[in-house]
Amino acid sequence: MVDMYVNHLIKKQKIIEDTKKDYVPSYYLINEAFPNKKLSQLTTKDLEKLEHLISFLPANRNKKKLTRDLDIHKQVEFMENILKDRANNVFRLEHKDHKVIGLGTQNKHFEQITNFIEFCSAKYKFESPLDGIVLQRYRIKSDSSLERLPLSDEEIQIIFNEFDYLNNKLLFTLKNDPLKVYGIFLTMFLGIRPIEAGQLMVNDLQHTTDKKGNTIYYLSVSTENTSEDINLNEVKKEKTKNTKRKLPLTDVFIKNLKFLEFVNQRKEDKHNFIFVNEEENLDIKQNIKNTVRRCEDTFNTKLKKLNFKDIDRKSFYSLRHSFANKIKHIPESLKDKRGESLMGHSGATDSELFNRYGNRYFEPDFLYEILEKVEYKEINKINIILKT
């Protein structure tokens, strides 16, 4: 049943391999909890028991020494005893790293199991044990104290001064791992997410003209395979459908970073991707992930060594928040939802930049007048960058 349902998700919902790996453990929790029952035999009481098990499931239960050899019922009993001890102010050293899985993970299990049961009951014509109450998601209020903070202009200036791969090792980095450098600028000046940058193909660099006939170069951010290799059709992924957008390149890319020349060289060298090389024995999706991870991890590792305020809430992704801060102060970005289009936003939450979101696809010449006004103090004056 699990394989059949997963195939259904792949076909109908177009889930990718990583999503499949994330979903499947939820379905097998049913078999763990009730190894001697068929799915059609489960009752509402059984699901209440399953909900209880999930609510007290130890984190990393199959890796921790004290829980990995226990069945799911014993694992939960073990965790419940630890929680009872802690409620009575009894804290054991050997239990200090044991905790219950987070509410987000619990909700993921509840949602996936519910969908799985609903599908199977409809497919195989048995009465669903779901009653509209059991396995319902918890409502989680976001903790603003855990949200990422933007990096200030002054902090970004320090980063460019202190990170060796952005100054004295810049040319070496551009040659061997260019996303580490270009990724920073793409996020700071265009708001591109790291994974979006990693997926960019050489043919995603396109051009159009404005009303005056001026050429505008832009990056087409989408899941479209713009190469001629059909084997790359399912490689790109997107956060939501609204992440599809056309982002015009401003002078910092055209004149300062020589980005057009860089991409054209990649084309001449027969590469399909702007920043990722296709290697014979490595899956391209994994290679993209590895490249993006190096970009973020190198930045984050060096960032943590700097004495910035609230450093635990700052990371590579803070550069995107810095970009958001810039455009929200540009009047044009609030017109016709162009700001949302630039950010590739798709839903309204308290932590998003705007209160309303749309999926209108704006043309580069209309977005250019916003992006050309994005500036960082002193950043454009860094000589080593301007000379690349």
Side-chain angles (χ1 to χ4, degrees), residues 274-309:
I274 294 179
F275 299 110
V276 178
N277 295 331
E278 295 168 72
E279 300 178 23
E280 184 176 346
N281 297 318
L282 183 61
D283 177 71
I284 186 60
K285 290 183 181 179
Q286 189 59 50
N287 202 2
I288 291 173
K289 284 185 179 180
N290 292 345
T291 304
V292 173
R293 187 180 298 116
R294 287 196 307 272
C295 170
E296 293 184 276
D297 288 353
T298 301
F299 185 95
N300 292 336
T301 298
K302 293 183 178 294
L303 181 66
K304 296 305 179 186
K305 297 178 181 179
L306 300 178
N307 189 27
F308 289 169
K309 182 180 179 181

Side-chain angles (χ1 to χ4, degrees), residues 334-349:
L334 300 177
K335 296 177 183 177
D336 304 322
K337 299 181 183 177
R338 277 184 286 174
E340 293 98 314
S341 181
L342 282 169
M343 294 298 293
H345 277 161
S346 61
T349 69

Side-chain angles (χ1 to χ4, degrees), residues 26-37 50 72:
S26 298
Y27 313 140
Y28 286 118
L29 284 174
I30 302 173
N31 190 57
E32 276 194 79
F34 309 105
N36 299 317
K37 276 194 172 184
L50 179 60
I72 190 172

Side-chain angles (χ1 to χ4, degrees), residues 183-225:
I184 292 174
F185 284 91
L186 289 168
T187 305
M188 285 175 53
F189 288 92
L190 299 183
I192 289 183
R193 298 177 177 91
I195 187 60
E196 292 173 337
Q199 293 176 161
L200 287 171
M201 292 179 162
V202 293
N203 290 330
D204 289 333
L205 175 60
Q206 300 173 18
H207 63 85
T208 185
T209 56
D210 62 17
K211 294 179 180 179
K212 297 180 180 180
N214 299 314
T215 299
I216 295 180
Y217 291 92
Y218 66 90
L219 290 171
S220 177
V221 179
S222 72
T223 58
E224 180 185 357
N225 173 16

Side-chain angles (χ1 to χ4, degrees), residues 97-156:
D97 294 328
H98 289 272
K99 61 182 180 180
V100 174
I101 60 174
L103 291 181
T105 303
Q106 292 179 40
N107 279 344
K108 182 202 72 173
H109 289 317
F110 293 158
E111 180 178 9
Q112 294 309 319
I113 290 171
T114 297
N115 292 341
F116 176 59
I117 291 174
E118 287 178 341
F119 174 86
C120 290
S121 64
K123 178 77 173 177
Y124 295 102
K125 310 299 182 185
F126 63 82
E127 185 176 353
S128 171
L130 296 164
D131 62 357
I133 299 175
V134 69
L135 296 179
Q136 290 299 295
R137 292 167 58 92
Y138 293 111
R139 181 179 179 183
I140 304 175
K141 185 176 180 180
S142 63
D143 185 353
S144 60
S145 67
L146 300 178
E147 294 174 5
R148 290 296 173 194
L149 293 175
L151 289 159
S152 69
D153 286 16
E154 290 74 18
E155 288 173 332
I156 293 175

